[in-house]
Amino acid sequence: MMLYGLIYHIGMIRSHGAMVKRYGKDYTMRFTATSDRYFKQVSKKTPDIGKSVFSFNYAFAPAYIAWYKTAVELGTNDNNIQDLLWLMNEKIITAIPSFFRKACGRMYLNSFRKKAPMHEKREMQGKVHTYDFLIHFIPKGKSHFGIDITRCGLRTIAADFDALGIFPAVCRVDYMIGEYLHLGFIRTKTLGDGDDCCNCRYEIGGMCRWAPEEGFENRK
């Protein structure tokens, strides 16, 4: 899919300078060459889940897996793998001009809030792809809603490539998205942490702090 490549290349191009500063030119050159190889392999074998409410989230999978597999092959430690995944995501998110991010966040959540109940209905009818997400939608008013995710499509595809090590680092990215796009978000459980679900709670026009230095013990 074109979206797979767009996400991957934006992350690679926009993070290049920061990677050189953090990890050196030689590591960055080796990372780029190895990652390109993995991305071609993974993207070709990633099933298309169709027009799902989670299609955009799922489209990050080939990039995440390629970056993770590359970092492991290059002997990168776990902390630096986490930082790499966060760096790539930050560069992708900040490709959106700052003056437009709040509007993007509102549009995204409003659209998601409308489509999530239909997704849940399709689940009950057995019409969602086997690599798609399974959810329970929790309406809480015009600006608040919740989603309990009981099957994560990213975990499903990551398992195929022995790349479950991207978790729970990529779970934390939701807090980064919340801060940059001005969305209210909180979660105390994730499948990536071994819990029974991801209990996501959203507020349109709310507040969220990325702040990884504060840790993720009570927010996952």
Side-chain angles (χ1 to χ4, degrees), residues 106 109-110 112-114 116-117 136-147 182-186 200-207:
R106 283 184 172 274
L109 277 195
N110 276 317
F112 199 92
R113 182 178 179 276
K114 293 176 182 177
H136 172 55
F137 177 70
I138 306 167
K140 292 178 175 286
K142 291 184 178 180
S143 61
H144 294 74
F145 66 93
I147 294 175
H182 305 277
L183 308 174
F185 176 78
I186 190 67
C200 307
R201 301 296 180 264
Y202 300 95
E203 180 185 1
I204 300 170
M207 298 284 290

Side-chain angles (χ1 to χ4, degrees), residues 1-197:
M1 283 181 63
M2 185 181 298
L3 185 55
Y4 297 169
L6 181 63
I7 290 169
Y8 174 77
H9 290 297
I10 289 175
M12 291 296 292
I13 292 168
R14 298 197 77 245
S15 65
H16 180 82
M19 285 188 66
V20 171
K21 288 181 180 178
R22 292 186 190 185
Y23 310 112
K25 187 175 181 179
D26 179 65
Y27 178 90
T28 303
M29 289 178 63
R30 289 188 294 131
F31 187 93
T32 300
T34 308
S35 183
D36 285 350
R37 170 168 54 83
Y38 273 119
F39 178 74
K40 289 177 182 178
Q41 295 171 359
V42 175
S43 59
K44 288 179 181 178
K45 297 179 180 179
T46 299
D48 183 353
I49 64 172
K51 293 182 179 180
S52 165
V53 67
F54 289 98
S55 293
F56 185 71
N57 310 68
Y58 180 80
F60 280 77
Y64 284 154
I65 293 169
W67 293 330
Y68 172 77
K69 300 288 283 188
T70 297
V72 171
E73 183 172 316
L74 297 182
T76 312
N77 65 46
D78 289 345
N79 285 337
N80 282 338
I81 290 176
Q82 174 178 266
D83 290 343
L84 275 167
L85 291 170
W86 288 351
L87 172 64
M88 297 295 190
N89 274 279
E90 186 171 37
K91 294 303 182 181
I92 292 169
I93 296 168
T94 55
I96 303 172
S98 57
F99 66 86
F100 191 48
R101 289 177 199 155
K102 189 172 185 178
C104 285
R106 283 184 172 274
M107 287 188 290
Y108 174 75
L109 277 195
N110 276 317
S111 174
F112 199 92
R113 182 178 179 276
K114 293 176 182 177
K115 294 178 180 178
M118 293 184 282
H119 184 89
E120 187 176 22
K121 183 177 180 180
R122 290 180 65 243
E123 284 179 31
M124 293 186 286
Q125 297 171 340
K127 294 181 178 179
V128 299
H129 195 282
T130 54
Y131 280 69
D132 205 342
F133 293 64
L134 297 181
I135 66 168
H136 172 55
F137 177 70
I138 306 167
K140 292 178 175 286
K142 291 184 178 180
S143 61
H144 294 74
F145 66 93
I147 294 175
D148 286 347
I149 300 172
T150 56
R151 184 178 76 194
C152 171
L154 291 178
R155 281 183 60 80
T156 304
I157 186 64
D160 284 357
F161 292 95
D162 191 25
L164 288 173
I166 65 174
F167 299 98
V170 298
C171 303
R172 312 303 185 232
V173 170
D174 287 333
Y175 287 93
M176 182 190 295
I177 294 171
E179 177 166 318
Y180 277 115
L181 298 188
H182 305 277
L183 308 174
F185 176 78
I186 190 67
R187 181 175 57 209
T188 60
K189 298 193 295 182
T190 75
L191 295 166
D193 287 282
D195 298 309
D196 62 333
C197 72

